[in-house]
Amino acid sequence: MRTILALFFSLFILSCSSESETDLQADIIIYGGTSAGITAAVQAKKMGKTVIVVSPDIHLGGLSSGGLGFTDTGNKAVIGGLAREFYHRLYLHYQQDSAWKWQKREEYGNKGQGTPAIDGENRTMWIFEPHAAERVFEDFVRENQLEIHRDEWLDRESGVTMENGKIVSIRTLSGKTYRGKVFIDATYEGDLMASVGVSYHVGREANSVYGETWNGVQVGVYQHRHYFRDSISAYKIPGDPSSGLLPEISSELPGKNGDGDSRLQAYNFRMALSRNPDNRVPFAKPDNYDPARYELLARVYAAGWKETFEKYDPIPNLKTDTNNHGPFSTDYIGKNYDYPEASYERRKEIIKEHEDYQKGLMYFLSNDPNVPEDVREEMAHYGLAKDEFTDNDNWPHQIYVREARRMIGSYVMTEHDVLGAKEVPQPVGMGSYSLDSHNTQRFVTLGGFVQNEGDIGVHPKQPYSISYGTLVPKKEECSNLLVPVCVSSSHTAFGSIRMEPVFMILGQSAAAAASLVIDGNQAVQDLDYEKLREVLLEEKQVLEN
C-alpha cells in the first residue's frame, strides 16, 4: 500500500511540474527578444512587475547584436533612458584594454555616423562589435533576473486566446501557454499583433491616404547613390529584348508615382567583416553559386563605378559593419514581398535566399575576373570575422527586416509629424533620423535600361516626438496590447522611426505604460498620460524639443 501511495504521489508531482512548465503566468508577457523587448523587460522589472520574455530567437538584441554596429543615431541628444544606458555600457566595455584584441585603441579611427564613435564627454559608444552588444543585453538579463524563454515561436494560427477584447494568453508551437495582464509585441514582424486581429498595413500607402509627398511609388527620385547613373541594358544580350532580362530584374511595370503598393524596402544582412588575417574567414563559394546573377554588377563596374567600399564602415578591432551601397549591392531587392505574412517555413526559405545571394555576391567580388583587379585585391584583405556569430558559421543570426507589418492604431505617425508640420500629442520618445527607405524594386525602363526605385532620404529639420498613440491599437480591437516596433505609422514615417535606438526607447516606454495600466486596472487606451509622462521623465527619457 505504501508503495502504491508513493507511486501515486510521484505521478501527482510530475503532473503538477509538467503543468507548471507549460502553463506560465506573469504581469507582462513580451513577445520578441529584440532590443525593444529587452529594454521593455528591464523597465517592467524596475516598476515591480513580473515579466516573461518569449523569444523566438536564441540570441537577444535583434539587429543591435546582429551586425548593425554602426548605429543610426541621428541626433544622439534625444536618445535617453535605457537606450542611452546601453550605449554607455558599450563605452565602459571599450574602456577596457581587454576589449581591443585585434587593434590598438589609439589606432581606431573613431568614425561614427554623424557623431564620434567614442563620445568621451557623454561616456557613450555608438559603434561596436556584435558580440559586445549581445553581452550588454545578457548583462541586462542577468542583473535584472529576467525570465527569458528562447526558441519559443507563437502559434500564429490558433495560439491567441481573447476574451472581451483582451488577450488572455498566448501559446507557442512547443505547447507552452503564457498568461498575462498586458502583452507587448516587440518583434520586427508584428506576429502577435497580427494574430490578435489588430489592423495593420504592409507596403506603401498612396500619398493620398495621409496627404503625404514621399510615400507610394517614387520612380525617378534619387536621394542617395543607390541607383543606376549610366544607361545599362537590362537584357542578357545588351539591347536585345528577345534575349530575356538579366537575373534580379523585374519585368513588372514600376507603377505610377504616388500610388500605393504592397512592395517592401529591401532586406539584407549587416555582415561583420574582419581585416585582421588572424581573425578572418575567407569568402567561400556557395554550393549554388552562379556568376550570371551578378552580371549586372559587372556591367556597373564596366561603366566606371568605383564606390565598392563606401559602406564598409569601421567598427572596433579592424572589423566593419558592411551595409548596402550603390545600384547593385547587398540589398536583395524585390525578394522579400511575401515575408511579413509568410509562414515560418517560407520565411526560412526567404532568409536562406538572401543569405545565398549575399554570400554569392561576396565570392563574386573576391574572385570574378569581371570585377576590377583593384577591387579584388582590396577584397582579399576581408573575410567574415572569425570571432563573431560563432555558432552560425560567422554569419549574422538576424536578417535586417527593415519593414514588415505596421499597425494602424490609435494615432498614425506620418511624414507630417516627422518633418515638423504638426505637433505630436502625448510624446513617449523622440526620433531624428531621415525618412529613410531602401529600394523596393529593380525594373526595366521603357528604353530597355535597368533602374531601381523606392530609395528616399528626406531629413527632418529637427528631432520630433513620437506619440503614445503609435504604440496602442484601436480600443475596439484589443485593450491590453502595446506594439513598440511595428508602430502605427505610414511607410515614410516608419523610415525614420525604424532605428534601433528608437526601438529601445519605445520598448522602455511601452513597458512603463503597461505597468501603469496594470496598477490602474484599465485599458492601454485609457491610461492617464500625465502619469506616464512623469515616469518617463524620471527614467530620463527625452520626450520633446
Side-chain angles (χ1 to χ4, degrees):
M1 183 65 179
R2 185 176 298 172
T3 303
I4 294 174
L5 286 173
L7 178 61
F8 176 80
F9 183 73
S10 297
L11 290 172
F12 176 76
I13 292 296
L14 283 171
S15 174
C16 291
S17 175
S18 176
E19 183 178 354
S20 66
E21 290 174 2
T22 59
D23 196 344
L24 301 114
Q25 189 164 345
D27 293 325
I28 300 172
I29 304 296
I30 299 169
Y31 185 60
T34 60
S35 58
I38 300 307
T39 55
V42 172
Q43 182 62 32
K45 265 304 192 69
K46 290 180 72 173
M47 295 181 70
K49 299 298 180 282
T50 58
V51 59
I52 299 175
V53 176
V54 183
S55 174
D57 303 304
I58 295 172
H59 296 275
L60 303 179
L63 257 296
S64 286
S65 61
L68 205 168
F70 197 73
T71 305
D72 302 307
T73 52
N75 186 327
K76 64 188 180 185
V78 304
I79 300 172
L82 288 170
R84 182 162 285 265
E85 172 67 14
F86 171 79
Y87 297 107
H88 170 61
R89 290 185 178 220
L90 286 165
Y91 171 85
L92 295 178
H93 169 74
Y94 286 107
Q95 290 302 299
Q96 304 174 69
D97 291 339
S98 59
W100 299 90
K101 182 176 181 181
W102 305 107
Q103 180 183 34
K104 294 180 180 179
R105 184 192 288 107
E106 57 269 23
E107 295 173 351
Y108 178 60
N110 205 27
K111 174 190 173 186
Q113 191 168 174
T115 180
I118 306 172
D119 183 347
E121 180 181 353
N122 293 290
R123 295 172 60 81
T124 48
M125 179 79 171
W126 303 102
I127 311 299
F128 48 86
E129 299 159 279
H131 76 268
E134 187 169 6
R135 182 180 303 171
V136 172
F137 287 117
E138 293 293 351
D139 285 345
F140 279 150
V141 170
R142 176 179 48 81
E143 293 167 14
N144 294 278
Q145 297 181 313
L146 300 180
E147 186 174 349
I148 312 288
H149 292 216
R150 306 174 198 240
D151 198 21
E152 290 290 344
W153 299 76
L154 176 68
D155 180 346
R156 291 160 57 191
E157 299 299 321
S158 58
V160 176
T161 300
M162 301 277 293
E163 288 183 8
N164 300 319
K166 297 176 66 173
I167 308 170
V168 175
S169 66
I170 63 173
R171 187 179 65 254
T172 56
L173 294 177
S174 70
K176 291 181 180 178
T177 297
Y178 298 88
R179 305 178 189 277
K181 297 174 183 175
V182 176
F183 292 75
I184 296 175
D185 185 343
T187 63
Y188 292 119
E189 296 82 6
D191 282 342
L192 176 56
M193 171 189 75
S195 297
V196 166
V198 167
S199 299
Y200 61 86
H201 190 87
V202 176
R204 301 182 287 188
E205 298 93 347
N207 273 324
S208 59
V209 174
Y210 299 114
E212 296 178 295
T213 300
W214 302 110
N215 213 331
V217 177
Q218 298 285 323
V219 174
V221 176
Y222 309 125
Q223 295 178 335
H224 293 110
R225 288 179 283 166
H226 310 318
Y227 65 99
F228 292 88
R229 282 167 265 178
D230 300 284
S231 297
I232 295 176
S233 178
Y235 304 113
K236 293 178 181 177
I237 299 175
D240 181 3
S242 67
S243 66
L245 290 171
L246 286 171
E248 319 305 346
I249 301 175
S250 171
S251 61
E252 295 184 7
L253 295 173
K256 180 182 176 182
N257 276 22
D259 284 356
D261 61 18
S262 58
R263 298 181 178 104
L264 295 171
Q265 59 176 307
Y267 298 172
N268 70 343
F269 287 93
R270 297 290 286 257
M271 300 174 294
L273 305 185
S274 172
R275 287 182 60 89
N276 188 300
D278 296 324
N279 189 41
R280 68 174 181 235
V281 179
F283 300 115
K285 183 178 182 179
D287 292 338
N288 59 356
Y289 176 71
D290 180 4
R293 72 189 307 191
Y294 308 104
E295 166 63 20
L296 189 53
L297 178 56
R299 295 185 187 183
V300 171
Y301 279 126
W305 188 72
K306 298 182 182 299
E307 299 176 14
T308 304
F309 301 100
E310 280 286 315
K311 287 301 292 178
Y312 283 50
D313 291 314
I315 60 177
N317 284 307
L318 291 177
K319 299 176 189 175
T320 68
D321 167 0
T322 299
N323 194 14
N324 177 83
H325 178 76
F328 190 107
S329 185
T330 59
D331 278 0
Y332 198 22
I333 299 172
K335 309 298 181 177
N336 60 341
Y337 297 159
D338 59 332
Y339 180 88
E341 305 279 28
S343 66
Y344 292 136
E345 291 74 20
R346 174 60 186 141
R347 283 184 187 165
K348 288 179 182 177
E349 293 174 356
I350 295 169
I351 291 169
K352 184 63 165 61
E353 290 163 5
H354 280 69
E355 180 180 336
D356 289 345
Y357 164 78
Q358 200 161 327
K359 285 182 174 179
L361 173 64
M362 302 312 289
Y363 184 81
F364 178 85
L365 287 169
S366 303
N367 296 280
D368 197 280
N370 289 314
V371 174
E373 184 177 0
D374 62 326
V375 174
R376 283 181 280 131
E377 288 177 352
E378 181 66 15
M379 285 297 298
H381 296 292
Y382 287 98
L384 298 177
K386 190 182 296 185
D387 61 349
E388 299 290 353
F389 314 119
T390 55
D391 62 348
N392 197 40
D393 295 327
N394 312 110
W395 192 256
H397 44 69
Q398 174 68 59
I399 192 170
Y400 194 170
V401 180
R402 289 190 171 93
E403 191 169 357
R405 300 181 179 100
R406 300 187 313 280
M407 182 169 64
I408 304 173
S410 295
Y411 185 90
V412 180
M413 290 279 290
T414 69
E415 67 184 52
H416 304 297
D417 300 281
V418 174
L419 298 179
K422 57 186 292 192
E423 186 175 343
V424 177
Q426 300 185 334
V428 292
M430 296 192 75
S432 62
Y433 207 76
S434 63
L435 302 173
D436 184 72
S437 173
H438 282 231
N439 281 306
T440 63
Q441 57 180 324
R442 177 177 291 139
F443 64 97
V444 54
T445 69
L446 294 177
F449 302 114
V450 62
Q451 193 51 269
N452 296 334
E453 182 277 321
D455 183 272
I456 60 172
V458 182
H459 294 276
K461 295 178 182 178
Q462 61 184 11
Y464 59 91
S465 298
I466 301 171
S467 175
Y468 174 64
T470 65
L471 308 183
V472 293
K474 298 170 184 175
K475 190 174 182 180
E476 63 269 21
E477 294 181 341
C478 186
S479 62
N480 68 334
L481 174 68
L482 292 131
V483 183
V485 177
C486 295
V487 295
S488 178
S489 62
S490 69
H491 162 72
T492 49
F494 192 75
S496 175
I497 294 170
R498 65 176 181 84
M499 305 304 158
E500 287 291 299
V502 179
F503 287 155
M504 291 186 222
I505 291 166
L506 297 182
Q508 181 178 10
S509 294
S515 300
L516 292 173
V517 162
I518 291 171
D519 292 343
N521 191 27
Q522 59 191 158
V524 294
Q525 295 84 0
D526 296 335
L527 176 62
D528 182 343
Y529 170 72
E530 291 305 319
K531 290 183 178 179
L532 176 60
R533 179 183 177 86
E534 183 179 346
V535 170
L536 296 182
L537 291 175
E538 287 177 358
E539 296 294 336
K540 299 182 179 180
Q541 293 277 50
V542 182
L543 304 183
E544 57 216 346
N545 288 309

